[in-house]
Amino acid sequence: MLLLLWAGVTLILPLAALLMKIPVRHVVLLWIALSGGGFHWAWHDTHNVSHIPEALHVSASKLEAVPVQASGFIASEVQVDGDRAQFEMRIIAISKTRGNSNLNKKPTSASSTRTGSTLLPNDTFQGGVGKSEAISEQVIVHIKLAAKQEQQLAAEWQRGDAIQLHGSLKAPATAGNFGGFDYNEYLHTQEIHWLFKGNGAASLQKQQASQWNRYTLFRWNDQLREQLGQRMELAFGSLYHAGYMKGLVLGVTDELDPATYNEFTQLGLTHILAISGMHVAVYAATLLYLLKLLRVSRETSLTVVMVLIPAYVLLTGASPSVVRAGIMAMIGLFAARRGMLKDGLSILSVSALLMLLWNPYYLLSVSFQLSFLVTAGLLIYMPLMKPFFAKWPLLIGGEIAITITAQLVSFPMTVFYFNQFSLLSFAANFVLVPLITYIVLPLGTVAMGIAFLWEDGGRILAWPAEQLNELTFWLVKWMNVDDTYVSIWPSSSILWVIAYYAALYSILYWLKTWMISRRRTEESLGLEVAPDKDKGRLSAERNSAGQSTSAPMPSPIHTGLAASAEWAAILQTEHEPEGAGKYARRQWNGYSHLALALSGIAWFGILCIGYVTPGGGNTGIVQYMDVGQGDSILITTPGGKHILVDGGGTMDFTTGKNAWRKRKDPYEVGEDTIVPLLKQRGVHRLDAVILTHGDHDHAGGLQAVLDQIPVSALVFNGTLTDKPPFRKLLNTALNKQVKLYGAHYGMEWRPDQDTKIRFIHPLPSQEEETGSLAVVKDQNHYSVAMILEMEGASFLFTGDMDDAAESQLLSELAHSPSHTEGKGETLAVRQAVDVMKIAHHGSKYSTSEEWLSYWQPKVSVISVGASNTYGHPNEAVLDRLSAVGSAIYRTDAMGEVQIHAYQGKLSVRYKHNLEHADTR
């Protein structure tokens, strides 16, 4: 793939050079740079492999069944969340073991610390079966804590500790759904290939080792961040506010309330919590101002700040965005000290080059891409935007220009990765970003610092910040009340993103040309008496050649803010980046009107193409999503209607005496899997949600669906459960004015002219006749069953029907009218179906021989979780399916199963083997 890309670039570059009249020398240098980058990537990726299977002399496919012991160092902060402690470990020695003899030890500090042993790579481990093999590889460690008191023990583990671990290795999970998050691929870019699983705190033993190692500096940094966090908690009385301020000032987002973070995400405000260029700019400007008050020379001040910026980058977590900002700020300040020309695009390019030389996988990081693309966009598009705010005061006009430009530039990448955009994002960023950046951030930082010396003084300064935080939270919540302003965008191609940027540049270019031409016309007619001479405005006086004659303000605040790309584009009027409106001074004429109109039409067309859900022609699609031990099926009809059958659910056992095991932001299948997939596939609205029954593994994920996706109707089995989550789901549907329907035998629905749904279960009951909804504990027996007829194919959905319900339904069907096409009987059901969703995940209490004999499914789909504790699917059920000649597809082994129906033919594909496709 990389070779084909290199060949394509090699062929395209000469053609581009001819069309754009680029000098041959520049083209050759660009080709050499791209070829070198490709070679560097290929070399790095080729060597990014795991050496653990080779060290243990076990194949990777069998490694998960082998108990192992490993020694090494804790290579990251230790995160203790509920019953799990997680961290990265650098393994330096590993060995197979007969078993874990240490797992039954009591979780005391004595049992988890060995003071009489020294960490040596070639030792034979206690309980091992051979000499350990020396390697150097990073893994992620998950230790499941056995008791609440082990949380405090795990909290004492620190980065740089020499440890010995007992447990097993597990390969990271791959994506189970088409377009889903692939944890294995993500960890591959982190050069991590295995998860190390340990049971109980006793599975980790500390070892003696030198106090100086490669992690010592980071350990000190962790301790300093912890102390700063504690001072932040002292200054801000509420942990809610303290967690928010830690994210804002220190980049620590672990303690931020998940609900608040989601609300910020909805409005496109998460960049506030990601330490980036504006944070570095404020930091640099503050330091320069303080050094000026101390009468330190300008050159010395710039040098001091340049040296302190790496410390700030390290202190705030060293994410790609802050590393980029730090490198750019250092280069910019060095250029300012030497009086050199400061070209923002060149500085940005050097920063990217340095980061990619260090780690080429940064190129795949969403944070890296957003940071560099938005920064480059500000540098390129801001000179085109500035004339619109030329007569505005600097701070107001600059902030508006930055907000609009940043939103326009970040929009395609936002919808590309997150598949949604709030129309209120412009207003939210314009109001809240200045408030938080220039008031709350400095107040919180100073309050944290003063709390070291004077706790009451820190609280005094924190009080106004808390009030402003409350205002921020209220505004964010208020803006999120109405989902009308949130638009959903399907995943697009990178070509769409490029086309968007090109069309946007063309519009701004011709608009700037028109504005400059109009001003010159006014000047020639004498309508403008004198140029703007007010200080502090975006426009600078220009000479007859159209060049700026003003110099940047020499204040430390100006120099510090110019360290960020955002304000560099505003403050830098003497030198504009070439290509960013440099030629927008041509005379306006009729052709210019046409160019502007065509640019606008092209840009609008590109937006429409990106928003419209990709159509499948006349094909109907049934998508059995992999949601673990549960059901969730998305039906897309030939007419473009979307129907969701069930929403999976994550079982919660952290109640009562196990409440300590609950995690702050646990995995939730609706929020983390179903909703992202629906947005990615361009589901702007669900025409119906069909809930087969109220059990949590079918209904639990629907709460997130109703919260984030517009729904027209909710169809359920007409009964209630005594579970609070189910009642909350129905209340949410009522509050959002979703129409509720109770499914029953004989009910029909036509989503479009080519699709029909016939409900065949539950059967009518006396409670339904009275008009009251019964509370039913055993929901499986009352599962909704229905037959979908679409494009000449039939699909049977069964929920979790038990064999008793199957028998009753077969008895009812035996007495129903025979199938007669086009006569409109009360219920027309044909016996044979093309596809059957096997009931209750393949339980032995469902899918009887009589049931299969009646329906004769050609294809059977079992939605079931891998390694589930229920033994699903049952071997007897699989045997019965094989006996009737039904092809079996399982989500636990195959991932998501998609069946396309077109003119009576079925095409089946599944995630875990993309090369496989059946046509039936």
Side-chain angles (χ1 to χ4, degrees):
M1 180 64 184
L2 189 63
L3 184 61
L4 290 175
L5 184 62
W6 175 82
V9 170
T10 302
L11 293 174
I12 291 173
L13 272 181
L15 179 62
L18 290 174
L19 293 176
M20 302 177 66
K21 299 181 180 180
I22 302 175
V24 175
R25 181 170 60 92
H26 293 175
V27 175
V28 172
L29 290 175
L30 179 59
W31 181 84
I32 292 174
L34 292 175
S35 300
F39 174 80
H40 178 55
W41 174 281
W43 183 91
H44 196 91
D45 197 56
T46 301
H47 290 79
N48 182 18
V49 295
S50 174
H51 299 286
I52 290 179
E54 180 183 353
L56 295 176
H57 307 290
V58 179
S59 66
S61 60
K62 299 179 180 179
L63 191 56
E64 295 187 14
V66 178
V68 297
Q69 298 179 357
S71 62
F73 297 92
I74 297 178
S76 69
E77 289 184 275
V78 178
Q79 299 176 350
V80 181
D81 186 11
D83 64 347
R84 185 176 73 182
Q86 176 178 320
F87 55 87
E88 293 182 19
M89 175 187 180
R90 170 64 61 176
I91 295 179
I92 63 172
I94 192 168
S95 169
K96 291 184 286 187
T97 178
R98 295 187 182 91
N100 199 338
S101 60
N102 295 309
L103 295 182
N104 296 323
K105 292 185 179 181
K106 295 182 179 180
T108 62
S109 57
S111 68
S112 61
T113 305
R114 293 173 55 194
T115 58
S117 60
T118 304
L119 186 65
L120 295 174
N122 295 317
D123 281 349
T124 301
F125 287 123
Q126 180 182 358
V129 296
K131 191 174 183 180
S132 63
E133 297 290 338
I135 61 172
S136 179
E137 184 167 329
Q138 201 111 326
V139 298
I140 287 183
V141 177
H142 290 165
I143 296 181
K144 188 173 183 179
L145 305 179
K148 182 175 174 57
Q149 57 266 32
E150 291 188 353
Q151 288 180 327
Q152 183 60 38
L153 188 63
E156 297 176 0
W157 302 336
Q158 298 182 61
R159 193 197 308 247
D161 284 347
I163 60 172
Q164 186 179 99
L165 269 179
H166 311 263
S168 60
L169 293 165
K170 182 177 177 61
T174 58
N177 296 284
F178 292 98
F181 175 69
D182 195 315
Y183 191 45
N184 183 67
E185 285 294 326
Y186 168 75
L187 289 185
H188 181 80
T189 64
Q190 309 299 308
E191 301 186 42
I192 295 174
H193 308 280
W194 296 99
L195 307 178
F196 199 113
K197 301 284 186 175
N199 289 318
S203 62
L204 182 148
Q205 298 175 326
K206 287 186 179 180
Q207 307 289 295
Q208 285 185 341
S210 171
Q211 294 184 352
W212 293 92
N213 56 54
R214 61 192 295 183
Y215 303 107
T216 301
L217 177 61
F218 294 101
R219 180 186 183 125
W220 292 346
N221 184 63
D222 293 342
Q223 293 172 350
L224 178 57
R225 282 163 61 89
E226 179 65 25
Q227 291 179 10
L228 291 174
Q230 292 174 359
R231 294 299 163 179
M232 189 74 80
E233 293 176 3
L234 287 175
F236 292 83
S238 167
L239 291 178
Y240 180 69
H241 284 280
Y244 170 71
M245 292 305 299
K246 286 181 185 179
L248 191 63
V249 177
L250 300 173
V252 179
T253 58
D254 299 335
E255 300 178 35
L256 183 64
D257 179 63
T260 301
Y261 186 83
N262 289 336
E263 290 171 350
F264 272 67
T265 302
Q266 194 90 332
L267 290 173
L269 292 170
T270 48
H271 63 91
I272 296 176
L273 303 173
I275 308 297
S276 59
M278 189 56 72
H279 294 74
V280 175
V282 172
Y283 171 75
T286 303
L287 287 179
L288 288 170
Y289 183 72
L290 291 176
L291 290 172
K292 182 183 180 182
L293 293 179
L294 295 174
R295 299 185 181 278
V296 178
S297 67
R298 181 174 181 271
E299 289 73 17
T300 304
S301 298
L302 292 172
T303 303
V304 170
V305 174
M306 209 167 18
V307 172
L308 290 178
I309 281 178
Y312 180 76
V313 170
L314 190 63
L315 189 64
T316 52
S319 65
S321 60
V322 72
V323 171
R324 185 273 307 163
I327 293 176
M328 287 191 67
M330 292 175 65
I331 297 174
L333 292 173
F334 175 78
R337 188 182 186 281
R338 298 295 299 269
M340 299 165 57
L341 172 64
K342 179 181 171 185
D343 183 352
L345 287 175
S346 298
I347 294 174
L348 182 68
S349 301
V350 171
S351 303
L353 179 62
L354 292 175
M355 292 180 68
L356 293 175
L357 284 174
W358 174 259
N359 182 5
Y361 288 131
Y362 272 140
L363 190 62
L364 300 180
S365 167
V366 178
S367 176
F368 178 92
Q369 293 176 18
L370 284 172
S371 178
F372 276 90
L373 278 174
V374 172
T375 304
L378 287 167
L379 291 170
I380 293 173
Y381 290 93
M382 276 299 298
L384 300 174
M385 186 68 70
K386 280 193 299 183
F388 300 102
F389 305 95
K391 296 186 177 182
W392 292 55
L394 176 63
L395 291 179
I396 297 177
E399 198 60 51
I400 295 176
I402 288 175
T403 301
I404 294 177
T405 306
Q407 291 294 302
L408 290 173
V409 169
S410 63
F411 167 76
M413 297 305 296
T414 299
V415 300
F416 182 83
Y417 281 112
F418 306 111
N419 304 110
Q420 69 176 28
F421 182 78
S422 174
L423 299 179
L424 296 177
S425 181
F426 291 92
N429 277 273
F430 176 70
V431 173
L432 295 178
V433 170
L435 173 69
I436 294 172
T437 303
Y438 302 127
I439 301 178
V440 176
L441 176 62
L443 277 175
T445 305
V446 175
M448 178 185 67
I450 290 180
F452 274 95
L453 305 174
W454 183 26
E455 292 184 11
D456 290 337
R459 294 191 185 97
I460 293 172
L461 277 175
W463 184 85
E466 287 184 340
Q467 305 311 306
L468 293 174
N469 288 345
E470 289 292 344
L471 175 62
T472 299
F473 299 149
W474 179 83
L475 283 172
V476 170
K477 190 176 293 292
W478 178 71
M479 289 183 178
N480 277 300
V481 168
D482 194 348
D483 297 335
T484 306
Y485 300 101
V486 179
S487 57
I488 296 174
W489 295 70
S491 291
S492 54
S493 68
I494 194 65
L495 292 177
W496 180 85
V497 175
I498 295 173
Y500 171 92
Y501 283 128
L504 177 62
Y505 184 91
S506 181
I507 289 176
L508 295 179
Y509 169 82
W510 289 110
L511 283 175
K512 178 178 179 178
T513 304
W514 168 76
M515 180 164 287
I516 292 176
S517 177
R518 192 184 74 167
R519 286 182 180 171
R520 288 185 175 179
T521 302
E522 291 175 349
E523 290 177 3
S524 64
L525 295 175
L527 297 179
E528 184 169 314
V529 179
D532 184 8
K533 297 181 180 180
D534 294 338
K535 293 183 179 180
R537 297 190 180 272
L538 285 177
S539 62
E541 293 185 21
R542 297 183 177 273
N543 58 23
S544 58
Q547 297 174 335
S548 173
T549 59
S550 63
M553 295 179 294
S555 69
I557 294 180
H558 173 280
T559 306
L561 287 177
S564 78
E566 295 91 335
W567 278 98
I570 287 289
L571 299 172
Q572 211 176 298
T573 57
E574 185 174 4
H575 301 283
E576 289 184 357
E578 290 193 13
K582 179 180 179 182
Y583 303 103
R585 300 189 182 95
R586 62 178 61 185
Q587 188 66 33
W588 187 260
N589 52 42
Y591 293 105
S592 302
H593 282 97
L594 179 61
L596 177 58
L598 291 176
S599 299
I601 293 172
W603 186 65
F604 181 75
I606 290 168
L607 290 177
C608 291
I609 293 172
Y611 181 76
V612 175
T613 303
N618 294 322
T619 303
I621 310 174
V622 181
Q623 303 155 69
Y624 301 83
M625 293 181 284
D626 180 11
V627 293
Q629 187 68 11
D631 281 10
S632 188
I633 306 162
L634 177 64
I635 302 168
T636 301
T637 70
K641 301 293 185 180
H642 299 290
I643 304 162
L644 183 68
V645 182
D646 290 333
T650 307
M651 302 303 293
D652 184 11
F653 301 103
T654 58
T655 58
K657 64 180 182 179
N658 289 321
W660 68 273
R661 296 182 180 273
K662 191 173 184 66
R663 296 170 188 169
K664 295 176 183 176
D665 190 17
Y667 170 80
E668 203 284 306
V669 67
E671 177 76 25
D672 300 319
T673 298
I674 297 176
V675 169
L677 287 175
L678 293 178
K679 291 180 178 179
Q680 186 184 95
R681 296 172 188 187
V683 179
H684 302 114
R685 170 176 288 275
L686 286 168
D687 296 277
V689 169
I690 300 176
L691 174 59
T692 60
H693 62 294
D695 283 355
H696 196 72
D697 60 336
H698 291 248
L702 291 180
Q703 183 63 51
V705 173
L706 262 64
D707 286 338
Q708 299 189 47
I709 306 290
V711 176
S712 297
L714 173 63
V715 182
F716 68 116
N717 64 2
T719 68
L720 302 176
T721 74
D722 57 355
K723 303 296 183 182
F726 183 79
R727 294 182 178 272
K728 179 183 178 182
L729 178 68
L730 293 184
N731 288 331
T732 301
L734 291 173
N735 293 335
K736 289 182 172 286
Q737 299 181 343
V738 177
K739 297 178 181 179
L740 298 180
Y741 297 93
H744 57 81
Y745 180 88
M747 178 176 165
E748 292 187 5
W749 177 44
R750 288 184 177 270
D752 57 41
Q753 61 180 2
D754 299 317
T755 308
K756 180 189 295 185
I757 295 178
R758 306 171 185 269
F759 293 91
I760 58 176
H761 200 263
L763 301 176
S765 62
Q766 294 180 354
E767 287 82 358
E768 290 178 355
E769 294 175 0
T770 62
S772 61
L773 297 181
V775 177
V776 177
K777 185 175 181 180
D778 182 14
Q779 286 281 312
N780 291 344
H781 184 75
Y782 294 90
S783 290
V784 172
M786 64 182 190
I787 296 176
L788 166 70
E789 295 181 1
M790 181 172 64
E791 275 297 312
S794 58
F795 299 79
L796 175 60
F797 301 88
T798 55
D800 278 358
M801 291 179 68
D802 54 23
D803 49 10
E806 292 174 356
S807 179
Q808 292 174 10
L809 178 57
L810 290 178
S811 177
E812 182 68 26
L813 292 173
H815 297 88
S816 66
S818 59
H819 178 70
T820 305
E821 291 289 348
K823 298 299 183 181
E825 273 85 291
T826 302
L827 181 66
V829 178
R830 61 183 181 184
Q831 291 188 15
V833 294
D834 296 305
V835 182
M836 176 189 288
K837 201 288 295 184
I838 300 303
H840 204 179
H841 323 293
S843 166
K844 64 180 179 180
Y845 300 109
S846 302
T847 319
S848 63
E849 291 183 4
E850 294 78 12
W851 183 256
L852 291 176
S853 177
Y854 184 89
W855 295 110
Q856 294 290 319
K858 298 177 183 177
V859 174
S860 297
V861 180
I862 306 176
S863 183
V864 62
S867 304
N868 66 84
T869 59
Y870 306 99
H872 295 161
N874 185 265
E875 286 296 331
V877 172
L878 297 177
D879 291 341
R880 291 198 289 268
L881 290 171
S882 299
V884 298
S886 183
I888 302 172
Y889 296 89
R890 300 168 45 171
T891 59
D892 61 336
M894 302 175 177
E896 179 184 4
V897 178
Q898 293 187 354
I899 302 180
H900 294 242
Y902 179 67
Q903 295 183 351
K905 294 184 179 180
L906 300 179
S907 176
V908 185
R909 71 168 186 161
Y910 47 87
K911 178 65 178 72
H912 287 168
N913 188 357
L914 292 176
E915 292 78 20
H916 188 287
D918 289 343
T919 302
R920 299 179 183 274

